[in-house]
Amino acid sequence: MDYALLEAKAQIRRQLEAFGPELNDLALEHPPKGINADLAMPVFPMAKAWRKGPPVIAKEIAEKLDWPEEGLIERAEAAGGYVNFHFKRERFGERVVSDVATHGLDYGQLDRGRDHTVVLDYSAPNIAKPMSVGHLRSTIIGEALARIFRKLGYATVGINYLGDWGTQFGRLTYAFIQWGDEAALEADPIQELLRVYVKFHDLMEEDESLEEQGRVWFAKLERGEEEALALWRRFRDLSIREFEKIYRRLGVQFDVWSGESEFYSAMSDRVIQEAQEKGITANDQGALIIPLEEYGLSAPILLRKSNETTSYETRDLAAALYRLDTYHPAKVLYAVGNEQSFRFQQIFKALELMGYGGVEWVHVNFGFMTLPSGRMSTRKGNVVLLEDVLDEAIERAGRVIEEKNPDLTPEERAEVARVVGIGAIKYSDLSQSRGKDVVFEWDRMLAFDGESAPYLQYTYVRCRSIHRRANVALQPFDGAALEAPEEHELLKTLARFPEIIEDAAREYAPHTIANYLFSLAQEFQGFYEKVPVLKAGSEAQVSNRLQIVDSVATVIRSGLDLLGIEVPERM
RNA sequence: GCCCCCUUAGCUCAGCGGAUAGAGCAACUGCCUUCUAAGCAGUGGGCCGCAGGUUCGAUUCCUGCAGGGGGCGCCA
C-alpha cells in the first residue's frame, strides 16, 4: 500500500542515496504556508561534517539530484539552507485521486500493526453511580484510539473494566439492606443506589461504626457470602443495563466487559504468589506490600490489606496478567485521567519487577474535568450527567436545523440532530490535546460554529450536495487540466491523511486527526468559495473537481469515523 | 516535602528542533438572482510564564524558579 505521499518521499530518499547514507537522517518536511514548495529538507546539520555553509550544501544537493521521467518529483531547488522539492502536479494529483477512489473509506489504512494486538482499557465507570460528563474523556479517547489502531492494521481489544469491587460496595450493600427500597430500585436503579450510598456517607460523618460495617460487608463479599453477593450482582447487572443505553447513544462499543470483581480471588492469589516468588514483597503492619522507594516511588503497592481483603492494585495487576495471557498484546493502553498517574507508575514498575516489562504499558493520561463551580462530586450532587449533555446537545442541534434547513422531514431532522449533537460533544473533547484540564461549559462543548464537528459535517454535506447535483459522467482524472492552485493544495492535504493517522497512533493523540480534518475542511471551504466545480470552464475540469470534492468527502467521513463521529448527508 | 499534568492573542486552544508563531470564539467591516451563509473574505489583537543552558537554529529539548490543577499505602 504505497500512497502518493509515501511514494514521493521514497523517491526522494532513493535519489539522496547518491550521497551515501549521510543524508538519511535529514527530515522531509511540509513547508509552511508562503513557501513555494511541496516538500522541504533542511540541510543545516550537514554543515559541520561537510565544512560548508548550508546554502552551499543545499545547492550542491539540489543540483546533483536527477529525477526520473516516470516519478512524482519534478525538480528540486536550493532555498537558503533548504532543499525544496516540487511535485509533478499532474501525476501527483492523479495518484492522490486514484488512491482515495480505489480505497474509498479505507483510504489511509496501513499495515503497520499486522500481527500485533493492542489492548485498550477505557471508560471504566463505577457501578451504582450515574455516568457524568467526567466519563466522557476516557470513553471517547479510548474509542477513538481503538479505531485509529485498527486502521493501522492492529487487532484491538477494547475493554470496559468496571469499578465493581472494593470497600465501597460493602458500604453500598449494607446501606441498601438498611434503607433500600425495592420498587425504587426497579424504577431507577442508579438513582436509588446513589440515594442510599449518599445517606450512608452522610450518617458516617457522625457514626464511625458505619465505616466498620462497610469493611465487614466487603469482607463478606470477598468471602462469597450469598446474601451480600446476590445483592451486589443485582446492582452490577442493573448498572450495566443503564450504561449500555448511554454507550449505544454514543456509538461506543467494547469487545469485553470486565471488572475488578473478576480479579479478586484466584487471579489475585496468583499475583501475590508470583510477587513473593520473585522476592519483591515485604510485610508491613500486617499488610503485604511491594516496596518501591528504591525506584523513586514514595508509596509501596499494597497487595493484601491487613484485614486479608485485596486492594485495587492487586486486582489491576491480576487483570494485567490475564490480558497478557489471553490476548498476547504488544501494547496495553489505559485511558485514565492524570490523577491516577502515580498509581500507574507503581503498577507498571511492579509489572516490570515481576518480569512483564517486555510489553508496552501506556497510561494514556488526560486532564481533569471540572465544573465552573469546582470539582464534580456525584455524592454531593454537583455533577453534570452525561445523559443530560446528550439530550441537550441533540435538542440544541434540532433547533438549529429547524432554523437553517426547514425542508428536512421530521425524521430526517431527528436523525441529523442526533448525529450533529453527539458529534459536537465528541469533537469538542477530541479536538484538544489530552493533557490539559477542561472546565465544562455548555456553550463550549455544544458549539456548532467554527472549529466544531458541525463545521466538518457541514463541509461534508456541501461536498455531497455538489455530488448529487452533478449529472455528468466522470472522466478519468486529467492532471493536465489542473489549473487552480487551490486544487493542488487540496490534493496535497488529502495525501497527508495516512501519515496523520500514524502520528495520531504514535502519540496516542486523536486530536491530531481532529486538527487535520479541520484544516482540510477550511481549505475546502476556501476552494468552495473561489473555485467553481459544476460550472468550471471545461468538462475535464468539472470532472477533475468533482473527483477532488468526492475525495474530500471521503477523507472527512473516514477521518471523523476514526473519531467515532458520524456524518449526515444533508443538514 | 516529593511526584505527575498544565502555562502561546481578551477567552478557548493548535504548533513541540527549522524558513514571517496559527486557528476558533468574542469585537469590527464586507459578501446570499452561481454548487446549502452551521459558510467565506478582511481588520485589530503576541517579551510563546520568568531565568539560565544545549544547538548552526529553541515557542518546541534540559535545569531551576513562579503560578494553576491533580496525586502521595489499608477509597478507586
Side-chain angles (χ1 to χ4, degrees):
Chain A
M1 238 178 284
D2 259 341
Y3 298 120
L5 192 55
L6 293 171
E7 177 62 28
K9 288 184 177 180
Q11 288 176 10
I12 292 172
R13 293 283 180 206
R14 219 168 294 141
Q15 290 305 308
L16 292 174
E17 281 168 14
F19 296 88
E22 298 179 83
L23 302 181
N24 286 353
D25 292 337
L26 296 182
L28 287 176
E29 304 176 342
H30 298 278
K33 275 200 183 82
I35 301 294
N36 175 29
D38 296 321
L39 284 172
M41 181 174 75
V43 300
F44 305 93
M46 304 311 297
K48 201 166 272 177
W50 288 18
R51 303 173 63 86
K52 288 175 192 164
V56 177
I57 295 171
K59 203 154 182 253
E60 281 179 16
I61 294 175
E63 278 168 6
K64 190 167 175 189
L65 294 174
D66 182 31
W67 304 105
E69 178 53 36
E70 66 282 5
L72 290 166
I73 309 299
E74 170 82 38
R75 66 195 162 89
E77 86 225 343
Y82 295 85
V83 179
N84 285 346
F85 302 93
H86 296 264
F87 296 156
K88 288 188 168 131
R89 296 192 170 196
E90 327 79 69
R91 189 166 297 147
F92 181 75
E94 285 166 12
R95 271 297 299 270
V96 174
V97 164
S98 116
D99 284 350
V100 180
T102 53
H103 294 95
L105 290 173
D106 286 335
Y107 171 61
Q109 189 131 41
L110 292 162
D111 63 355
R112 301 287 188 259
R114 195 173 23 192
D115 303 329
H116 292 293
T117 297
V118 179
V119 168
L120 300 102
D121 180 319
Y122 58 103
S123 199
N126 293 326
I127 62 166
K129 274 192 189 175
M131 285 178 82
S132 77
V133 262
H135 290 98
L136 205 53
R137 307 205 77 188
S138 173
T139 307
I140 283 173
I141 290 169
E143 175 73 19
L145 288 175
R147 290 163 181 248
I148 289 165
F149 276 99
R150 242 173 273 144
K151 186 96 171 180
L152 293 179
Y154 290 86
T156 61
V157 181
I159 301 180
N160 194 2
Y161 184 70
L162 300 171
D164 62 359
W165 207 245
T167 317
Q168 53 186 331
F169 299 106
R171 293 175 177 177
L172 182 68
T173 310
Y174 175 79
F176 188 80
I177 289 169
Q178 293 298 304
W179 310 299
D181 178 330
E182 265 303 321
L185 184 69
E186 281 303 321
D188 189 345
I190 290 184
Q191 182 67 33
E192 174 62 5
L193 291 173
L194 183 63
R195 184 185 69 82
V196 298
Y197 191 66
V198 168
K199 180 162 187 172
F200 181 95
H201 272 266
D202 289 347
L203 294 177
M204 196 173 77
E205 284 178 19
E206 271 108 63
D207 182 358
E208 285 177 14
S209 73
L210 280 178
E211 196 167 350
E212 186 50 32
Q213 283 300 328
R215 269 198 285 272
V216 166
W217 278 82
F218 179 53
K220 288 176 192 255
L221 280 170
E222 287 223 329
R223 280 196 309 268
E225 292 191 10
E226 196 45 41
E227 182 191 9
L229 214 48
L231 266 179
W232 168 85
R233 223 177 272 126
R234 273 188 73 199
F235 298 161
R236 187 179 193 271
D237 291 345
L238 290 168
S239 299
I240 288 175
R241 210 181 300 161
E242 295 298 313
F243 295 157
E244 278 177 331
K245 290 182 197 162
I246 290 192
Y247 292 129
R248 206 172 305 129
R249 296 181 76 189
L250 279 172
V252 168
Q253 285 180 343
F254 301 95
D255 300 296
V256 180
W257 286 69
S258 177
E260 293 181 66
S261 58
E262 290 180 28
F263 298 99
Y264 68 91
S265 55
M267 292 295 286
S268 269
D269 292 345
R270 173 191 161 191
V271 168
I272 289 167
Q273 190 186 336
E274 275 193 43
Q276 284 175 322
E277 281 167 9
K278 289 273 193 274
I280 58 174
T281 60
N283 286 297
D284 193 70
Q285 298 165 40
L288 184 68
I289 63 169
I290 302 177
L292 297 170
E293 297 95 275
E294 61 180 301
Y295 307 104
L297 298 171
S298 57
I301 279 197
L302 186 64
L303 284 178
R304 192 171 52 216
K305 300 178 191 176
S306 47
N307 70 353
E308 297 289 307
T309 57
T310 58
S311 74
Y312 63 89
E313 294 135 317
T314 317
R315 298 192 288 270
D316 281 348
L317 289 170
L321 299 195
Y322 174 81
R323 291 169 189 183
L324 290 190
D325 289 348
T326 311
Y327 309 113
H328 308 288
K331 299 170 192 278
V332 182
L333 313 184
Y334 296 83
V336 178
N338 282 337
E339 65 274 16
Q340 295 197 40
S341 69
F342 181 74
R343 166 192 169 197
F344 280 106
Q345 284 180 46
Q346 292 180 304
I347 290 168
F348 295 165
K349 177 53 78 178
L351 286 166
E352 184 193 323
L353 293 175
M354 290 171 72
Y356 301 105
V359 175
E360 257 185 274
W361 304 97
V362 184
H363 175 205
V364 179
N365 63 319
F366 51 82
F368 212 65
M369 187 184 276
T370 55
L371 298 177
S373 58
R375 275 188 89 138
M376 276 186 253
S377 165
T378 310
R379 229 165 59 209
K380 291 177 187 151
N382 54 329
V383 68
V384 175
L385 299 184
L386 188 44
E387 205 183 347
D388 293 343
V389 176
L390 302 186
D391 290 342
E392 178 75 16
I394 293 169
E395 198 191 311
R396 287 194 193 192
R399 283 204 295 267
V400 177
I401 294 159
E402 206 163 352
E403 174 201 327
K404 308 265 184 193
N405 199 343
D407 294 342
L408 295 181
T409 66
E411 294 74 33
E412 280 175 318
R413 192 199 306 157
E415 173 63 4
V416 174
R418 182 187 69 79
V419 168
V420 169
I422 303 290
I425 293 170
K426 291 186 175 180
Y427 190 89
S428 81
D429 209 351
L430 289 174
S431 63
Q432 65 183 276
S433 53
R434 302 178 338 244
K436 298 195 180 186
D437 293 345
V438 295
V439 177
F440 173 84
E441 284 162 289
W442 286 101
D443 290 343
R444 198 145 70 77
M445 179 161 278
L446 301 184
F448 295 157
D449 315 301
E451 184 169 4
S452 66
Y455 178 90
L456 298 177
Q457 291 164 327
Y458 182 65
T459 307
Y460 175 81
V461 163
R462 279 187 147 179
C463 292
R464 300 301 293 158
S465 177
I466 294 174
H467 180 92
R468 270 197 307 274
R469 283 169 184 278
N471 45 5
V472 294
L474 291 184
Q475 304 163 9
F477 193 83
D478 178 7
L482 282 171
E483 192 186 274
E486 287 83 1
E487 294 171 308
H488 181 60
E489 291 307 313
L490 222 29
L491 288 163
K492 274 203 293 183
T493 304
L494 290 169
R496 293 192 63 175
F497 187 50
E499 70 179 20
I500 295 293
I501 300 170
E502 284 194 285
D503 291 347
R506 190 179 53 249
E507 309 287 336
Y508 311 110
H511 84 285
T512 309
I513 288 169
N515 294 164
Y516 163 80
L517 292 176
F518 180 63
S519 61
L520 171 65
Q522 268 185 318
E523 245 177 77
F524 176 79
Q525 297 277 16
F527 168 89
Y528 182 91
E529 292 293 325
K530 272 182 233 129
V531 185
V533 176
L534 299 179
K535 293 182 178 162
S538 69
E539 275 180 43
Q541 279 185 334
V542 172
S543 175
N544 274 3
R545 289 176 185 171
L546 273 171
Q547 288 175 77
I548 294 174
V549 167
D550 286 346
S551 302
V552 171
T554 298
V555 170
I556 289 179
R557 181 169 170 190
S558 113
L560 283 176
D561 183 63
L562 291 176
L563 301 180
I565 297 174
E566 299 174 61
V567 288
E569 290 296 312
R570 299 166 212 264
M571 66 189 274

